[in-house]
Amino acid sequence: MTEAPRLLVFDSGFGGLSVVAEIRKALPAARLTYLADTAVFPYGDLAEADLVARVAALMAEAMPRFAPDAVVIACNTASTLVLPDLRARFTLPIVGTVPAVKPAAETSVSRMVSVLATPGTVKRDYTRGLVAAHGQDCRFTLVGSKRLAPLVEAEFAGQAVADADLLAEIAPCFVEEGADRTDTVVLACTHYPLVLARLRNLAPWPVTWIDPAPAIARQVARVTSTVAREPAGEGAEAGRGGGEGADVFYATGRLPPEGLTERYGFLRQLAFA
Ligand code: DGL
C-alpha cells in the first residue's frame, strides 16, 4: 500500500492540470511531478510516428530521473497512440486518458453524442474502435479541433481569447437531425475542461459535458494502492533513482505564467533539461 505515491503526470501542455485537480482530490498525499512538452505543443496534428518517438524519448529520460510509482499520460492525443509502446518499455503502471465514449453512450437520451478532441485523436483507429465497441446505438459526431487546445493554452498564458473563437471550435458538436439533437459532448482533450465554464455559456443549447478526469483519478488511486513501495529510510529514495522533482512543474519549452501551477499544488516550475 502506497501512502504517498509519487506520480508523473505528462501532457503536451497545461491540459493535464484538469487531471491533476482530480488526482489532488482523490489522493491528497500524492507527490506529483508534471512534465509538459511545450517545446513541441500542440500534439494535435503531429505525425503519428513522430509522436510515438517523442513521447518514448521523453519518458526514457523522465522515468529514471523522477522514479515515479505510476505515470499518468494526461493527453488523449498521446494516449490513443503511445500506450502500447510505453507499456512494452516500462513495467510500472501507466494510466492513460482516452475518449469517454462508454459513459457518454450510457448517458445520452437523444442518442446523439459528439466527441470533441484534437484532429489526431479523432482520426485514430483506437478512437474509432472505442465507438464501435462502446458506442451502443448512439450516433457519434467526431469533431477534431485544431485550434481549441492552443486557444486554451493562450488563455492560460494571459491572452484574451474571444468567445467567437471558442464558439467556432465547439459549434460542429451541436448537431440537429429532425426532432433530435446532440445532448452529450465528450471532452476528449484534457485542455478543454479547463475552460468548461466558458464552453457551457457559449453552447447553442444545454448538453451534458463528459470530463473523464474524475474517473482517471479513481484509476490512479486503484493502481497505486497496489504498488509495493520500498520502505522509507536506508536510501530507499536513492534506490529508486533519486526521485527528484516532487511537486515541480517541468516544461520542455515555454513555462506557464507565474501563479498558474501554484493553484494546482506545484511549488516550483523548471525547464526540463
Ligand atoms: N491535451 C492534449 C489532449 O488531451 C492535446 C493538446 C495538443 O494538441 O497537444 O489531447
Side-chain angles (χ1 to χ4, degrees), residues 11-16 40-45 74-78 97 117-119 121 145-146 149-150 153 188-192:
D11 182 32
S12 56
F14 313 153
V40 172
F41 177 89
Y43 278 1
D45 231 2
C75 175
N76 292 260
T77 313
T97 311
T118 66
T121 298
S145 166
K146 242 188 191 167
E153 202 100 344
C189 167
T190 51
H191 281 72
Y192 305 164

Side-chain angles (χ1 to χ4, degrees), residues 123-225:
K123 69 172 185 241
R124 303 259 189 270
D125 291 345
Y126 187 92
T127 304
R128 310 267 161 170
L130 278 179
V131 171
H134 302 293
Q136 301 180 14
D137 59 333
C138 290
R139 280 171 285 169
F140 276 78
T141 303
L142 303 183
V143 177
S145 166
K146 242 188 191 167
R147 292 184 63 222
L148 191 49
L151 286 172
V152 173
E153 202 100 344
E155 160 139 330
F156 272 68
Q159 293 162 36
V161 173
D163 282 351
D165 289 336
L166 292 180
L167 180 57
E169 299 309 304
I170 67 168
C173 293
F174 292 81
V175 181
E176 286 186 283
E177 278 176 16
D180 297 327
R181 62 188 193 178
T182 307
D183 69 352
T184 306
V185 176
V186 178
L187 297 167
C189 167
T190 51
H191 281 72
Y192 305 164
L194 296 173
V195 292
L196 180 54
R198 290 191 70 186
L199 301 186
R200 255 190 231 288
N201 282 338
L202 292 167
W205 58 80
V207 292
T208 301
W209 302 88
I210 309 245
D211 173 7
I216 296 159
R218 286 195 296 277
Q219 177 65 1
V220 172
R222 268 193 295 275
V223 303
T224 53
S225 71

Side-chain angles (χ1 to χ4, degrees), residues 7 51 114 168 191 215 232 252:
L7 304 171
L51 182 50
S114 292
H191 281 72
T252 57

